[in-house]
Amino acid sequence: MILKNLIGRSFENPATPLSDPDNWLIETLGGGRSAAGVVVNSSTALEYPAIWKGVNLISRDVGKLPLFIYRRLPEGGKERANTHPAYRLLRHKPNPFQTAVDFKATLQAQALLWGNGYAFIDRAKTGAAGQLLPLDAAITWPVRRGGLVWYRTVVDDQQVALMATDVFHVKGLPDGSSGGLAGLSVLAKARESVGLGLAAREYQARFFSNDASPRAVLEHPGKLTDGARDHLRESWEKIHKGLSNKHRLAVLEEGMKLNPYSVSPADAELLKTREFEIRDVANWIGAPAHKLGDPTKTSFASLEQENQSYLDDALDPWLAKWEAEAWDKLLTERQKMADSHVVEFLRAALVRGDLAARTAAYSSALQAGWMNRDEVRDRENLNPIPEGEGSKFWQPSNVVIVGEEPEPPPPPPVPPALGPGAAPQDDDDDPQADDDDQADARAALVADAAGRILRRLTTSAKRAARRSDGGLQTWIAEQPRPKHRAAALAILGPV
């Protein structure tokens, strides 16, 4: 591990400057206070169901998607580079105490709340990544010194600096004040929205703890001493406060009156406020509101579009950030310059739980000819079809190459003509007629096969004639070419 102590440097985090000591102190002690009077930090924010649902939803989906390093093949295409040093880190085990699923979910949750998710890349002597260790986003931030980017963090109560090449950084919306080095903290920007939601939840909880009854004042005709007033309040709350004391009979003495004076939750539209806050949080997190528990704006007809919007607008941008950072920090400079490797999530895993969607996608891919049956079976964790039958590709029979004419359909077999004045006869009992029928059938089959061979040669000749390099002369000089001979034998063989 390469750690450089930054002795004599300021410990100031540019995200919470010392020039604003009140906010800095509150942030250091655990968060900022909203206008609703509620402290909002990474711990209290997760107590709000909408925040918990949104962060858990996106982090879980990013964590469960397999992330692979692929090697580009010389003849085109790519294959999984399972011998690459970082392959195991991204796919299975980034460090001794986490799986790849938990590691990705951890950094993603930090990026959603703090705007940044950090991990230290512990490299071997060869420079290859040996493990990925998550860092605390609250005490880690990037700085620029001498034209270079470094990351500061705290390890064992000591401030240390890490080279940018040794920090895996997943950032949210870039912060312009930092030159785009860090992401903007969602908690800092959404503090008022989250604070209002937490305050509304707390108000509703206190409302029910008071028997869901309006607040009231006890009016006494005389003047009470301080002790008598406190005793009256305590005794009244002991008898009537809380759901367990609901519907208990109130007894008023000495001419006292009970005067309610608060507004009901229906009048204050508390429930509508909480629904609005869910939609507000959905905008901050970037997830559809119905996935955070608000179905008011979603119909059954639009649910499919909402889910697709979540994949396109909420999830895929984060996947692209992960892929770009892994490409930049985990591949060698030679691999990046040659573009010999690529890092990609297996997005097809998003529809693994939807059998109908997978079936439709597989059917389309098989019929279009860009997947074979063995590839489909591999996606479904099934073994290949024996004897290589599953490796064959299908292609539509009603399409041709652009600029070429389709082969005409074979003509129907022509029945043998009858002589003048001849009438059809019943050949059921005539052996000679049976032999003639078989001979006619064989002749029709041979004629059909010969016609197919002729059409195949004609199409091949047309293709050669369209070439500008004397292709037709070459085609004539090479006849009969072996592949046409083989095709003719394949057609005539069954006949």
Side-chain angles (χ1 to χ4, degrees), residues 60-265:
R60 178 194 62 197
D61 286 344
V62 172
K64 75 179 184 180
L65 283 182
L67 181 57
F68 293 107
I69 296 180
Y70 294 93
R71 179 189 304 106
R72 298 190 187 277
L73 300 176
E75 62 275 11
K78 59 190 178 183
E79 65 179 2
R80 295 177 186 176
N82 52 16
T83 58
H84 193 281
Y87 182 91
R88 182 184 62 87
L89 303 182
L90 296 177
R91 182 65 186 95
H92 298 295
K93 197 73 173 173
N95 54 64
F97 52 88
Q98 279 184 311
T99 63
V101 174
D102 292 337
F103 171 79
K104 288 180 289 186
T106 299
L107 261 65
Q108 186 59 52
Q110 290 184 348
L112 286 168
L113 292 174
W114 294 96
N116 302 278
Y118 302 102
F120 174 67
I121 306 174
D122 189 9
R123 300 187 183 275
K125 294 181 179 180
T126 60
Q131 55 183 341
L132 301 173
L133 303 169
L135 299 173
D136 189 348
I139 54 175
T140 305
W141 61 92
V143 292
R144 183 181 283 111
R145 288 288 184 270
L148 298 176
V149 177
W150 297 78
Y151 285 82
R152 296 185 187 178
T153 190
V154 178
V155 177
D156 297 332
D157 297 329
Q158 295 292 324
Q159 186 180 170
V160 298
L162 307 173
M163 293 188 298
T165 54
D166 292 334
V167 177
F168 192 96
H169 183 188
V170 179
K171 67 170 74 70
L173 181 66
D175 184 2
S177 62
S178 68
L181 297 180
L184 289 169
S185 172
V186 175
L187 286 182
K189 299 300 179 182
R191 180 167 294 153
E192 298 303 328
S193 297
V194 178
L196 182 57
L198 291 172
R201 188 193 63 166
E202 182 178 354
Y203 175 85
Q204 192 173 36
R206 292 184 181 277
F207 178 81
F208 281 104
S209 71
N210 285 285
D211 191 23
S213 302
R215 290 175 295 171
V217 60
L218 288 173
E219 181 181 352
H220 194 277
K223 184 176 182 181
L224 299 176
T225 63
D226 293 343
R229 185 169 56 250
D230 293 341
H231 176 72
L232 178 60
R233 180 187 301 110
E234 292 174 1
S235 61
W236 179 266
E237 290 182 348
K238 182 178 180 181
I239 296 174
H240 298 286
K241 184 176 181 180
L243 294 177
S244 60
N245 294 322
K246 187 176 179 64
H247 302 306
R248 293 193 66 176
L249 183 65
V251 178
L252 301 179
E253 301 176 335
E254 300 179 0
M256 288 192 300
K257 297 180 181 179
L258 178 66
N259 299 318
Y261 65 90
S262 67
V263 180
S264 69

Side-chain angles (χ1 to χ4, degrees), residues 456-473:
R456 188 184 187 99
L457 291 174
T458 302
T459 301
S460 178
K462 288 181 178 180
R463 294 176 183 174
R466 291 191 180 97
R467 294 166 52 184
S468 60
D469 57 350
L472 182 59
Q473 289 78 6

